[in-house]
Amino acid sequence: MSASPSSIPVPKTPVRVRIAPSPTGDPHVGTAYIALFNLAFARSHGGQFVLRIEDTDQKRSSSESEAAILKSLSWCGLQWDEGPDVGGPYGPYRQSERSDLYIAHCEQLIASARAYRCFCSAERLTEVRAAQRAAGVDWRYDGHCRNHDPAASKARADTGETHVIRLAMPTEGTTAVPDALRGAVIYDNHRVDDQILLKSDGLPTYHLANVVDDHLMEITHVIRAEEWINSTPKHMELYDAFGWEPPVFIHMPLLRNADKSKISKRKNPVSLDYYQRSGILPEAFVNFLSLLGYSMPDEREVFTFAEFVADLDLSRISLGGPVFDRVKLEHINGLYLRAMTPAQLANRAAAWLEEDGRQEAIAELVQERVPTLASWNQQIDMFHRGTVSWGEDARHLLVGCGSRKKKSVRLDAKRSRLMFEDLIAQLEALKPWQRDGIEAALRASVTKAGALIGDGFMAVRVAISGSTASPGLFESIETLGRAVTLVRLRAAVDWLRGKGHLETEIAGLEKRLAALRTSQERLIEAQSAGGRFDPREN
RNA sequence: GGCCCCAUCGUCUAGUCAGGUCCAGGACAUCGGCCUUUCACGCCGACGACGCGGGUUCAAAUCCCGCUGGGGUCACCA
């Protein structure tokens, strides 16, 4: 190791780090970003990288999402040493399979009076919260159940009365959170809430599960996003209550949208599927990610993961939140592509199409529309790109406005936008991602918007395919996949909102208009010049 | 709003910890040019930043304080 991390403490025990995604949606770029730094740190110290699934939210977690996350991290080449699929000596690696552990640990905390049972109803909590808000003070649990006699509380619990278990946070003093990049961050204990550790469904919250698991799995460094830093005093308190040595905390800066807010699906494609589908090479993607908030000692920008590991020094992380710039990503990707031999490029392109796994589904969709094999590429194009450009067909995004039907209801930009937003909300929640559900969502949204079914479908068709002509709409959306579909629908919303896309569109059209005028003038000049050319004059 | 974090070109960043070699370097984007049958690539060039105000010092992008700005967080979600 040439550069041993200068300011990151490394204990004597083997370095063990983890990525702990919650399987509640599409695989997120932020997950890959944090996984990358964890893996690299583990590798640079010859340690292990653990994948742990934090599926303690029964309502939102799905095995579908878990599978997608595993698949996407693998695509990135961020392979874990231990995890739910590969096993390992510290399993199980799925928190939903570790319930007994959390309950047992909670009992230990209750026994030592570092936690207590709370029987407060959601209604009471809401009232207290409202009162505190009215009084202009911070919301914090008011300690109603904290001083109940533990034996009495236990008796109530034994009768089956629903309750949660809360952390008995000290009401005085301060807690120092030692962050390896920021130094000690000091919190006043009286401002820290009596966090719920065990929910009434018997499953732990993140705070408890993450501390218990990190300890039992012997995690030495917690490298996670900065959004967690404010809950770390609770975690410190837990480590103290258990009598455990806390790991080294390293809070990474948050990835940002162009407006500097925390990266979000509203403003950026955040699904890893999207980047895979739109033809980003995983090695280029990971290279780009490693440039965010980090720089190599010699300012190299293009390097392999192995080189990244070899020169890794987490103390070089800069804490300002980096904007996730897709333009730069594509630049890096282009560099990789151009560095290949033609044979390699051809192979990668073919492999990309192949790994995609939708060949047959797409063939089925475009079959009727390919008079010759030569039209194949053109027909499948919409399935293999991230975004589409609507060009002049954009007017169809205004529902009904491109229609020639007499009965058409023309929705203005706002109402069209609301239809798309409604559709997006439905599709985000749609499980499973299949034709019939998609059709139902589509029909519901268009009907709700009060437009003709056909007009609404046309608007969606243009939004997702970029054209008024496309294969079957529901099947196309199913095949397109959730990630890409949602990015395109959100782009339509942006366009309708008149921000970004609309301006871009206008600028583009103005440029095109100017170009057309110029070429028209030149044509006229050329024609008149030709007109003057009369061979008979010679 | 309370608390916490952060602050160099539009963007990613080097430089900040060990103050002088920085009237601030590189990359992306943008603009101009070259190359070229076109486009792209490539090459050359231009534009462009230490948020503001105090202080410490012979000397501050670098250290200290204040302000401003941005972000995060305040759930029986993670």
Side-chain angles (χ1 to χ4, degrees):
Chain A
M1 229 103 349
S2 56
S4 75
S6 52
S7 69
I8 309 297
V10 179
K12 310 249 182 328
T13 50
V15 165
R16 288 177 57 80
V17 295
R18 44 67 163 185
I19 180 74
S22 174
T24 53
D26 276 352
H28 199 276
V29 292
T31 306
Y33 178 60
I34 300 297
L36 166 65
F37 280 87
N38 273 284
L39 208 217
F41 186 70
R43 290 288 171 270
S44 72
H45 287 92
Q48 287 100 45
F49 172 52
V50 177
L51 171 63
R52 182 173 74 220
I53 297 296
E54 308 230 331
D55 56 350
T56 56
D57 184 340
Q58 291 184 99
K59 278 160 286 201
R60 296 198 303 149
S61 296
S62 74
S63 56
E64 188 188 40
S65 170
E66 179 189 312
I69 290 168
L70 264 58
K71 190 177 130 274
S72 283
L73 288 177
S74 294
W75 173 72
C76 290
L78 302 169
Q79 194 54 54
W80 47 98
D81 303 306
E82 299 167 25
D85 56 335
V86 295
Y90 295 83
Y93 293 91
R94 215 176 263 122
Q95 290 184 332
S96 59
E97 296 167 14
R98 300 169 66 85
S99 297
D100 295 348
L101 244 29
Y102 309 123
I103 291 169
H105 281 88
C106 256
E107 273 160 13
Q108 187 185 326
L109 291 177
I110 290 172
S112 59
R114 303 299 289 266
Y116 59 94
R117 294 189 174 83
C118 171
F119 300 87
C120 291
S121 65
E123 293 70 44
R124 197 189 96 81
L125 258 23
T126 310
E127 282 169 26
V128 173
R129 203 169 308 199
Q132 289 180 335
R133 173 183 289 234
V137 292
D138 296 351
W139 154 247
R140 223 165 304 127
Y141 178 63
D142 65 354
H144 181 73
C145 296
R146 182 160 168 161
N147 297 317
H148 288 178
D149 172 43
S153 288
K154 173 151 178 27
R156 286 174 73 178
D158 287 345
T159 67
E161 186 172 348
T162 61
H163 65 283
V164 299
I165 293 171
R166 286 182 184 273
L167 174 66
M169 193 68 200
T171 52
E172 293 175 352
T174 58
T175 296
V177 170
D179 180 277
L181 301 176
R182 284 159 257 256
V185 182
I186 311 297
Y187 292 86
D188 285 328
N189 289 154
H190 75 270
R191 290 184 188 285
V192 181
D193 201 9
D194 279 5
Q195 186 59 235
I196 290 177
L197 301 176
L198 204 70
K199 300 178 278 184
S200 56
D201 64 3
L203 292 179
T205 57
Y206 168 85
H207 307 282
L208 203 229
N210 128 82
V211 166
V212 169
D213 286 347
D214 283 346
H215 173 73
L216 296 179
M217 294 180 178
E218 296 184 42
I219 299 302
T220 56
H221 296 73
V222 169
I223 304 172
R224 79 218 310 185
E226 190 183 0
E227 59 188 329
W228 293 111
I229 200 165
N230 289 332
S231 54
T232 313
K234 295 165 186 170
H235 306 166
M236 292 301 289
E237 178 61 18
L238 283 169
Y239 281 105
D240 184 69
F242 284 122
W244 296 337
E245 183 74 19
V248 175
F249 291 104
I250 298 161
H251 289 98
M252 296 288 293
L254 250 24
L255 261 23
R256 310 290 185 93
N257 297 312
D259 65 3
K260 290 280 187 180
S261 57
K262 175 166 94 168
I263 196 165
S264 65
K265 61 188 177 186
R266 285 285 338 225
K267 298 172 182 173
N268 249 311
V270 293
S271 169
L272 294 172
D273 285 344
Y274 174 86
Y275 295 96
Q276 179 176 15
R277 283 279 166 80
S278 44
I280 298 294
L281 298 165
E283 62 269 38
F285 187 69
V286 162
N287 189 156
F288 168 69
L289 247 27
S290 65
L291 254 19
L292 299 178
Y294 188 75
S295 62
M296 289 293 238
D298 60 357
E299 289 198 76
R300 247 175 313 158
E301 289 203 317
V302 180
F303 45 81
T304 63
F305 178 72
E307 290 166 340
F308 179 53
V309 169
D311 282 346
L312 186 69
D313 174 0
L314 291 187
S315 70
R316 289 186 60 81
I317 289 168
S318 60
L319 296 173
V323 171
F324 187 95
D325 181 2
R326 285 196 284 156
V327 176
K328 179 86 177 237
L329 166 62
E330 288 191 12
H331 167 74
I332 302 271
N333 200 56
L335 254 25
Y336 273 76
L337 255 12
R338 272 172 252 128
M340 293 177 185
T341 64
Q344 285 171 329
L345 176 57
N347 287 337
R348 283 303 286 273
W352 172 66
L353 248 27
E354 195 58 40
E355 79 186 5
D356 177 295
R358 297 131 83 211
Q359 301 302 69
E360 210 174 307
I362 292 172
E364 194 182 338
L365 287 176
V366 304
Q367 195 155 25
E368 306 165 296
R369 297 156 212 277
V370 282
T372 64
L373 285 173
S375 52
W376 170 259
N377 287 336
Q378 187 191 334
Q379 287 293 332
I380 69 169
D381 180 66
M382 66 166 279
F383 295 103
H384 295 293
R385 41 169 57 241
T387 53
V388 291
S389 52
W390 307 303
E392 288 169 21
D393 286 333
R395 66 203 165 98
H396 288 277
L397 296 176
L398 289 156
V399 180
C401 292
S403 174
R404 269 173 279 162
K405 291 176 193 154
K406 280 186 193 146
K407 290 188 198 160
S408 280
V409 181
R410 298 186 165 215
L411 302 188
D412 60 17
K414 187 181 174 191
R415 291 177 65 198
S416 299
R417 195 189 84 216
L418 292 175
M419 185 201 79
F420 276 108
E421 284 174 342
D422 178 74
L423 179 61
I424 288 167
Q426 288 196 67
L427 293 182
E428 276 174 350
L430 183 64
K431 275 190 270 188
W433 185 258
Q434 276 170 8
R435 202 217 101 104
D436 291 352
I438 292 164
E439 173 169 3
L442 231 45
R443 286 191 185 280
S445 292
V446 177
T447 306
K448 231 182 284 180
L452 244 43
I453 287 289
D455 291 343
F457 285 5
M458 181 55 81
V460 175
R461 180 188 315 283
V462 168
I464 61 137
S465 75
S467 159
T468 54
S470 81
L473 187 55
F474 320 126
E475 293 82 354
S476 292
I477 290 175
E478 179 182 344
T479 303
L480 214 45
R482 195 194 310 263
V484 173
T485 298
L486 289 176
V487 167
R488 293 185 192 173
L489 292 178
R490 289 189 190 107
V493 166
D494 284 347
W495 188 88
L496 288 165
R497 193 177 263 124
K499 284 181 187 155
H501 286 83
L502 186 51
E503 286 159 20
T504 311
E505 209 76 25
I506 290 170
L509 288 174
E510 278 173 350
K511 210 168 171 181
R512 177 126 188 274
L513 183 63
L516 284 173
R517 287 216 170 105
T518 310
S519 73
Q520 187 188 31
E521 282 163 19
R522 285 190 186 150
L523 194 61
I524 290 168
E525 271 175 39
Q527 280 171 340
S528 55
R532 278 201 302 275
F533 177 74
D534 185 347
R536 282 170 301 183
E537 281 182 8
N538 294 329

